[in-house]
Amino acid sequence: MGRNMANNTRRIYQLDQNLTPEQRIVTFAKCSRSAEPFDKIAKELTDEKAAKFNQRYVVAFGHLSVAEHAAFNIAMEDVSILATKIIEDNRLGSFTERSTRYQVYDKNSYYKPDSIMNSKYADVYGKAGNYLFEIYEKLYPIVCEDMKKNYPKTNDNIKTYDTMIKGKTCDVVRYILPVATLTSLGMTLNARNLIYAINKMITSPLGEMQDIGNDLKKIAEKSIPTIANMIKPIKYLAETLPELQKTVSRISFNQTDIKQEPVTLVDYDVNADDKLVTALIYRFLSQSYESIKNKVSKMSQIQKEDIIDQALKNRSAMDQPLRELEHIYYTFDILMDYGAFRDIQRHRMCSQTNQLVTCDHGYEIPDKIRELGVEKKYISAMDTSREAYEKIKKDFPQEAQYIVAFAYKKRTLFTWNLRELHHFISLRSRPAGHVSYRLIANQVYDELAKVHPLLAKYINVVKIK
Ligand SMILES: Cc1cc2nc3c(=O)[nH]c(=O)nc-3n(C[C@H](O)[C@H](O)[C@H](O)COP(=O)(O)OP(=O)(O)OC[C@H]3O[C@@H](n4cnc5c(N)ncnc54)[C@H](O)[C@@H]3O)c2cc1C
């Protein structure tokens, strides 16, 4: 019998693209209880019927997973970089934003929060923002000329020369940009995530996030009017976070911070080799995890290493390692400049807890700035950023973040699994990357290698000499 004969009822097709987002949601949702073909279900739908279904099952009953079948491509322009990071924290979304490594930013194109502009800090904020861009613009040609000298045009690089020089220059001067810099962000979210993202935005203490949330709400009300009824501030977040903050402020945490390296491995699976071997064996047996684990604990080290080796040795650079690696976790406390954070934050297969952007931890000075003797100008930009931040922070701790320059360091707590660390370390240690996150990726690798040398061996890291 031919391969297609036994399955000749199979149909695979794209849903009619003219269906409205709410009709798409209902077409797929109905297959749960109806044996009718999808296109027949879709044909019978009207806007009214779809709205009734969505109201009943998605909004009233809370069966939100079906809302994932409608997706949105949202274009955002002139949003602050601070806002993009908060938006991208919706980890089930897809994002692309303007590069700070390949684009030069316009003078004075930075976000000015209403709360600050209507306060006594308007002048401090405006002057600091203008000054940061002034220094950014002054240093650009100096660094650019130096790059041209160091990387002369040749027949081999003639086509990409200008882009390369611009990239190398931006890599140095981007440290001066404030977090308030305006940018563009393309975002693809399904309807379920869109609603959740909007609800978080309109609950945010930042006016810009509330405004973006309200703009998105208008889009949702037009495209998914029934489901948009679920848009409302999240009372739980609005009440819990300030209360927790109050409790934390009553505990005395004003001791001197323990000095740490930029990358600190704060927690990990102590028995990772055994755990991974057990997980790798698990799929081939019908026994419980516990009994396999007992057996693994009695295996020789050579046997265990052989299983790990077989699982990982044949991967090409493009292959994702087996999913069993996701059972091994690592928690890192990372102190990095905002530019590096901006890039590392984009890796979604992990848990991230962010502290506010701050000037508390000092800033980075790129070697090139020292080498060119323009350190004074650079430092004056950093001082201006910090002075404005400290003044504004007293009354506006959230909005003060906007005026912090990229060079300042911030902390984020990351819990990654071993599979994601393969991807993160290999991608972010490559020579095409910015040195600030390449260093972090290298150090994450080193910390992992110290505790799990056997597992580290299979990660494609490009070491910085
Ligand atoms: C040199 C360099 C330049 C870059 N330039 C830019 C830039 O100019 N602008 C910009 O916006 N970004 C830029 N990035 C960031 C990059 O595009 C990624 O967003 C970022 O590195 C996160 O990695 P990732 O998308 O592979 O996924 P991660 O979030 O790390 O997830 C790991 C893997 O899970 C899978 N995955 C996760 N989420 C999804 C999903 N929603 N759909 C399908 N698969 C998923 C993918 O296989 C992915 O590789 C750059 C990165 C590098 C290294």
Side-chain angles (χ1 to χ4, degrees):
M1 197 188 292
R3 176 178 152 112
N4 289 323
M5 294 304 285
N7 294 307
N8 60 1
T9 54
R10 181 196 295 131
R11 293 174 68 220
I12 296 184
Y13 53 99
Q14 194 174 9
L15 217 53
D16 180 356
Q17 292 299 288
N18 295 319
L19 291 170
T20 67
E22 290 213 348
Q23 287 171 350
R24 276 178 222 189
I25 289 168
V26 178
T27 302
F28 281 164
K30 280 203 163 187
C31 94
S32 160
R33 305 286 189 272
S34 162
E36 299 284 4
F38 289 110
D39 47 3
K40 186 159 183 278
I41 297 175
K43 233 181 214 141
E44 286 163 7
L45 275 179
T46 58
D47 276 351
E48 212 183 355
K49 280 186 188 166
K52 212 168 150 193
F53 184 98
N54 281 324
Q55 179 58 39
R56 187 161 170 205
Y57 293 102
V58 181
V59 180
F61 188 59
H63 193 30
L64 270 159
S65 63
V66 293
E68 292 170 30
H69 294 298
F72 293 83
N73 298 123
I74 311 260
M76 300 189 195
E77 288 159 14
D78 283 352
V79 291
S80 75
I81 284 180
L82 182 71
T84 62
K85 294 297 106 188
I86 299 171
I87 295 166
E88 290 158 357
D89 200 31
N90 292 287
R91 62 186 154 180
L92 294 179
S94 305
F95 306 95
T96 301
E97 60 183 289
R98 277 180 73 184
S99 174
T100 50
R101 301 186 61 210
Y102 298 102
Q103 291 198 47
V104 183
Y105 282 74
D106 292 339
K107 191 174 186 204
N108 300 338
S109 63
Y110 62 94
Y111 180 70
K112 300 181 178 87
D114 284 346
S115 48
I116 294 186
M117 299 326 278
N118 295 327
S119 77
K120 62 180 178 187
Y121 301 112
D123 201 37
V124 173
Y125 186 88
K127 277 189 178 148
N130 292 349
Y131 190 65
L132 288 174
F133 274 94
E134 191 186 313
I135 300 297
Y136 175 80
E137 285 190 346
K138 270 193 182 143
L139 293 188
Y140 189 92
I142 301 172
V143 178
C144 189
E145 275 316 300
D146 179 76
M147 291 298 174
K148 283 181 186 164
K149 261 189 238 146
N150 287 325
Y151 300 94
K153 205 183 255 185
T154 64
N155 280 340
D156 290 339
N157 66 19
I158 200 156
K159 274 194 186 146
T160 52
Y161 189 73
D162 290 344
T163 313
M164 175 187 77
I165 294 296
K166 193 184 193 184
K168 289 190 179 297
T169 307
C170 287
D171 273 3
V172 177
V173 297
R174 83 162 183 177
Y175 285 89
I176 304 162
L177 289 171
V179 169
T181 302
L182 292 174
T183 189
S184 304
L185 176 69
M187 168 175 87
T188 301
L189 278 188
N190 66 49
R192 180 187 203 175
N193 281 313
L194 180 68
I195 298 297
Y196 187 44
I198 296 172
N199 288 347
K200 283 191 286 182
M201 288 182 207
I202 57 177
T203 312
S204 165
L206 282 170
E208 185 189 13
M209 295 316 301
Q210 292 167 21
D211 292 345
I212 297 171
N214 283 317
D215 286 346
L216 289 171
K217 184 178 172 202
K218 283 181 209 142
I219 295 173
E221 282 169 345
K222 218 168 149 196
S223 308
I224 41 171
T226 320
I227 293 167
N229 287 329
M230 301 189 82
I231 297 174
K232 56 174 186 295
I234 308 170
K235 198 166 164 265
Y236 164 67
L237 281 185
E239 289 173 357
T240 306
L241 293 179
E243 272 172 26
L244 259 178
Q245 188 169 19
K246 248 190 241 160
T247 307
V248 172
S249 69
R250 283 196 294 267
I251 308 169
S252 167
F253 274 114
N254 51 6
Q255 76 268 25
T256 324
D257 203 2
I258 297 168
K259 181 113 181 61
Q260 284 184 330
E261 294 301 310
V263 173
T264 309
L265 177 59
V266 291
D267 201 8
Y268 60 95
D269 272 317
V270 177
N271 227 351
D273 294 0
D274 276 19
K275 199 174 170 190
L276 180 57
V277 173
T278 309
L280 287 168
I281 293 174
Y282 187 88
R283 73 158 83 195
F284 300 105
L285 301 176
S286 56
Q287 291 174 21
S288 68
Y289 181 86
E290 281 301 310
S291 36
I292 302 169
K293 192 174 127 197
N294 282 341
K295 172 79 182 164
V296 167
S297 67
K298 289 172 197 125
M299 281 164 61
S300 71
Q301 188 59 22
I302 291 174
Q303 269 180 308
K304 292 180 204 171
E305 286 182 19
D306 186 44
I307 286 183
I308 292 176
D309 193 54
Q310 282 188 43
L312 293 168
K313 70 178 175 190
N314 291 326
R315 270 179 69 220
S316 77
M318 297 303 285
D319 292 326
Q320 303 269 20
L322 293 176
R323 210 159 164 182
E324 281 80 351
L325 273 75
E326 290 182 7
H327 294 294
I328 311 300
Y329 80 89
Y330 302 84
T331 300
F332 287 92
D333 185 9
I334 301 189
L335 180 64
M336 69 216 119
D337 66 75
Y338 191 83
F341 161 73
R342 190 172 170 267
D343 295 315
I344 296 172
Q345 186 257 4
R346 293 292 301 283
H347 291 272
R348 296 157 288 182
M349 300 292 235
C350 64
S351 300
Q352 300 185 17
T353 302
N354 275 294
Q355 296 184 345
L356 289 184
V357 185
T358 174
C359 291
D360 293 353
H361 306 299
Y363 55 84
E364 298 287 357
I365 307 182
D367 292 343
K368 187 55 83 186
I369 293 288
R370 290 206 171 97
E371 203 186 289
L372 290 172
V374 288
E375 210 173 335
K376 235 180 173 174
K377 276 198 179 73
Y378 182 91
I379 291 173
S380 75
M382 293 305 133
D383 288 346
T384 305
S385 168
R386 183 180 40 76
E387 282 158 21
Y389 163 81
E390 278 170 1
K391 279 184 192 148
I392 298 167
K393 186 184 157 192
K394 287 182 200 139
D395 291 323
F396 297 100
Q398 292 281 339
E399 286 83 352
Q401 297 180 88
Y402 283 111
I403 207 60
V404 178
F406 270 34
Y408 278 97
K409 293 184 269 184
K410 83 180 283 289
R411 280 190 190 289
T412 304
L413 192 66
F414 291 93
T415 297
W416 277 298
N417 66 55
L418 180 58
R419 190 169 184 240
E420 175 68 350
L421 278 175
H422 270 259
H423 179 61
F424 168 72
I425 293 170
S426 69
L427 189 70
R428 295 299 184 173
S429 66
R430 284 182 201 165
H434 192 287
V435 67
S436 62
Y437 65 67
R438 288 191 71 207
L439 282 167
I440 301 286
N442 267 258
Q443 287 168 36
V444 165
Y445 174 83
D446 291 343
E447 290 304 300
L448 189 156
K450 269 187 218 158
V451 296
H452 295 148
L454 175 61
L455 302 184
K457 194 167 97 176
Y458 298 94
I459 298 176
N460 297 319
V461 61
V462 183
K463 295 294 287 175
I464 297 181
K465 302 266 167 4

